[in-house]
């Protein structure tokens, strides 16, 4: 108990990069897009905001980036109130939206120049900031090329380079790898990790890719219908779904009566189902339990023909707390198709 209390006290003392309290946004038509949400993001974290389309993620982001005002509640970014100090917020936050944000008819350099002016980068620093950001994202050799000639992956790297121009304390990325091929997607994930680690930049990311969220995020909030269902580390969310599931198919020589009547020590897990030949056992740590289960069965004159282990995934946690399928989302598919179409026209 004392250890847990010490951990909680330590967490309370960590500086907050984002602080949202009782945030609500109701649009003019009466639609409540965000419904009394509260969360905090520690400095240096990669924080995932997950949820189906319409969950309220983009509205939350627009409030944090000063594009719209909330109906009630408060939001701070790097200690700056988004309503009272919008200019200061824009100086410390950067935003890469889901839709293509680069201008295809401008060069890579020109795109960063426009962004730097919009986010109040000091004129005397602007050129060196642009050159540094392009070099960091591996685009220096293409700085004078029009963005419309870039691949989808290069466009995304250019957008992240834009976001680095104002040396942000907080970077917000809305579906950064959407529509990219696996190789480009891996590059973007690696760059996000690099920016977070080398610049100590706090990152807030939305994604429909659960593997990406699992790999990147220190903490995740799952939203649904404008509210936050749960917040926790990826491992905590997966664990909350249930334990590991071990499926054991016993040899045909085993007596059905014997199999149906078998019980196992609680320390090895709980039998979730038993049809007389196949057992499904839920346990906390499948890798540790398997050899002990096999040893236990052998002592009881039972042998296994096959054994498999499945672990709860972030997809399972998402389905439990968001109660919606991402893959069936029409809006998501349309957005992905739009990005791919843009990439084809610009290639």
């Amino acid at each position: 108990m004392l250890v847990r209390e010490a951990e909680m006290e330590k967490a309370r003392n960590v500086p907050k990069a984002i602080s949202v309290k009782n945030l609500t946004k109701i649009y003019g038509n009466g639609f409540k897009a965000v419904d009394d949400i509260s969360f905090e993001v520690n400095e240096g974290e990669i924080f995932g905001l997950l949820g189906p389309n319409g969950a309220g993620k983009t509205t939350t982001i627009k409030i944090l980036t000063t594009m719209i005002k909330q109906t009630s509640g408060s939001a701070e970014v790097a200690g700056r109130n988004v309503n009272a100090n919008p200019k200061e917020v824009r100086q410390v936050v950067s935003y890469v939206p889901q839709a293509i944000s680069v201008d295809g008819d401008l060069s890579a350099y020109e795109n960063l120049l426009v962004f730097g002016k919009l986010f109040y980068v000091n004129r005397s620093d602007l050129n060196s900031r642009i050159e540094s950001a392009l070099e960091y994202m591996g685009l220096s050799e293409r700085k004078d090329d029009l963005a419309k000639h870039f691949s989808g992956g290069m466009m995304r790297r250019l957008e992240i380079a834009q976001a680095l121009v104002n040396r942000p304390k907080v970077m917000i990325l809305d579906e950064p790898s959407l529509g990219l091929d696996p190789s480009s997607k891996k590059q973007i994930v690696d760059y996000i990790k690099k920016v977070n680690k080398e610049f100590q930049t706090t990152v807030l990311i939305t994604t429909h890719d659960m593997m990406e969220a699992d790999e990147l995020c220190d903490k995740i909030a799952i939203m649904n219908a404008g509210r936050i269902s749960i917040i926790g580390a990826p491992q905590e969310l997966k664990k909350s779904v249930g334990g590991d599931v071990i499926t054991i198919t016993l040899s045909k020589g085993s007596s059905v009566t014997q199999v149906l009547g078998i019980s196992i020590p609680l320390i090895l897990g709980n039998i979730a189902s038993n049809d007389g030949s196949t057992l499904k056992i839920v346990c906390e740590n499948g890798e540790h339990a398997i050899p002990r289960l096999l040893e236990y069965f052998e002592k009881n004159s039972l042998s296994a023909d096959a054994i498999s282990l499945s672990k709860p995934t972030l997809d399972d946690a998402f389905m439990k707390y968001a109660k919606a399928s991402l893959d069936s989302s029409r809006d998501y598919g349309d957005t992905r198709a739009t990005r791919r179409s843009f990439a084809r026209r610009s290639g």
Side-chain angles (χ1 to χ4, degrees), residues 38-60:
S38 299
F39 66 91
E40 293 180 327
V41 181
N42 293 334
E43 284 186 3
E45 271 188 338
I46 299 181
F47 186 93
L49 195 58
L50 310 185
N53 288 305
K57 306 184 303 297
T58 299
T59 297
T60 301

Side-chain angles (χ1 to χ4, degrees), residues 74-90:
S74 65
E76 292 185 354
V77 178
R80 286 108 169 141
N81 185 283
V82 296
N83 288 336
N85 303 292
K87 182 176 178 179
E88 290 184 16
V89 169
R90 291 184 186 182

Side-chain angles (χ1 to χ4, degrees), residues 96 100 102 137-139 142 147-161 176-189 191 339-340 342-344 346-347:
V96 178
I100 293 290
V102 298
M137 297 305 294
L139 293 170
R142 303 291 300 272
K148 65 183 178 182
H149 298 310
F150 287 6
S151 66
M154 288 181 66
M155 282 186 188
R156 218 39 168 166
R157 283 159 54 197
L158 180 58
E159 289 175 317
I160 295 176
S177 64
L178 184 62
L180 299 182
D181 62 81
S183 176
S184 297
K185 181 178 289 192
K186 184 180 184 306
Q187 273 192 328
I188 295 303
V189 168
Y191 275 117
R339 180 176 284 282
R340 286 176 174 169
F342 184 95
R344 284 197 298 270
S346 302

Side-chain angles (χ1 to χ4, degrees), residues 5 12 20 30 66 74 84 118 124 138 165 168 185 187 222 228 252 296 304:
E5 289 177 355
R12 282 193 290 267
V20 170
T66 74
S74 65
L118 287 173
S124 61
V165 169
K185 181 178 289 192
Q187 273 192 328
I222 297 179
I228 291 179
K252 294 180 180 179
Y296 179 78

Side-chain angles (χ1 to χ4, degrees), residues 166-239:
N166 65 330
R167 303 282 171 86
K169 293 180 181 293
V170 178
M171 182 181 289
I172 298 177
L173 307 170
D174 196 359
E175 293 287 343
S177 64
L178 184 62
L180 299 182
D181 62 81
S183 176
S184 297
K185 181 178 289 192
K186 184 180 184 306
Q187 273 192 328
I188 295 303
V189 168
D190 288 344
Y191 275 117
I192 293 170
K193 289 180 180 177
K194 184 179 177 184
V195 169
N196 171 252
K197 183 177 180 181
E198 295 186 5
F199 292 118
Q200 293 297 299
T201 302
T202 304
V203 178
L204 187 150
I205 182 173
T206 75
T207 179
H208 283 114
D209 187 327
M210 294 299 110
M211 290 182 65
E212 182 176 276
D214 201 355
E215 180 181 354
L216 275 173
C217 297
D218 300 302
K219 199 180 295 178
I220 287 170
I222 297 179
M223 289 189 73
N224 189 32
R227 309 202 74 173
I228 291 179
S229 301
I230 191 169
I231 299 176
Q235 197 59 37
E236 292 172 343
L237 298 186
K238 288 183 285 186
K239 189 175 180 179

Side-chain angles (χ1 to χ4, degrees), residues 116-136:
K117 290 180 178 180
L118 287 173
F119 279 73
Y120 306 106
V121 177
N122 191 303
R123 184 177 298 180
S124 61
D125 297 330
L126 189 51
N127 181 67
S128 62
R129 294 275 190 92
I130 292 171
E131 296 287 354
S132 176
L134 288 169
E135 182 178 0
Y136 193 79

